[in-house]
Amino acid sequence: MKLSLYLKSHQIGVADFAALVGASPFAVKKWLRGERTPRDIFMRRIMLATEGEVTPNDFLSLPENHRGAA
């Protein structure tokens, strides 16, 4: 699940989530916009905070023609 969808579906604000994972709201906004990928330590914290609903794979972006291909 994408982080943005998780935050929206659980009604969690950026600042609250940032505090939960020990990041700045600025960093979380960059993750949400796809401008940055969280560092490993934050990936782990995100997985723990979301109880596995958001994983490192959710931050990967593949070209459209490769989505769903196996």
Side-chain angles (χ1 to χ4, degrees):
M1 170 184 291
K2 294 290 184 187
L3 181 57
S4 58
L5 181 58
Y6 177 86
L7 295 179
K8 184 176 181 178
S9 66
H10 289 80
Q11 298 179 344
I12 301 172
V14 170
D16 291 333
F17 188 75
L20 187 61
V21 298
S24 70
F26 181 74
V28 174
K29 287 178 186 178
K30 284 193 167 271
W31 302 340
L32 291 169
R33 291 191 300 255
E35 295 174 6
R36 287 229 167 140
T37 302
R39 292 182 302 170
D40 291 347
I41 186 72
F42 292 113
M43 289 283 198
R44 179 170 165 68
R45 291 176 184 174
I46 291 166
M47 273 190 26
L48 291 172
T50 64
E51 298 181 348
E53 288 189 56
V54 179
T55 69
N57 287 343
D58 295 318
F59 290 94
L60 298 176
S61 59
L62 297 172
E64 283 300 317
N65 59 348
H66 287 87
R67 290 189 190 271

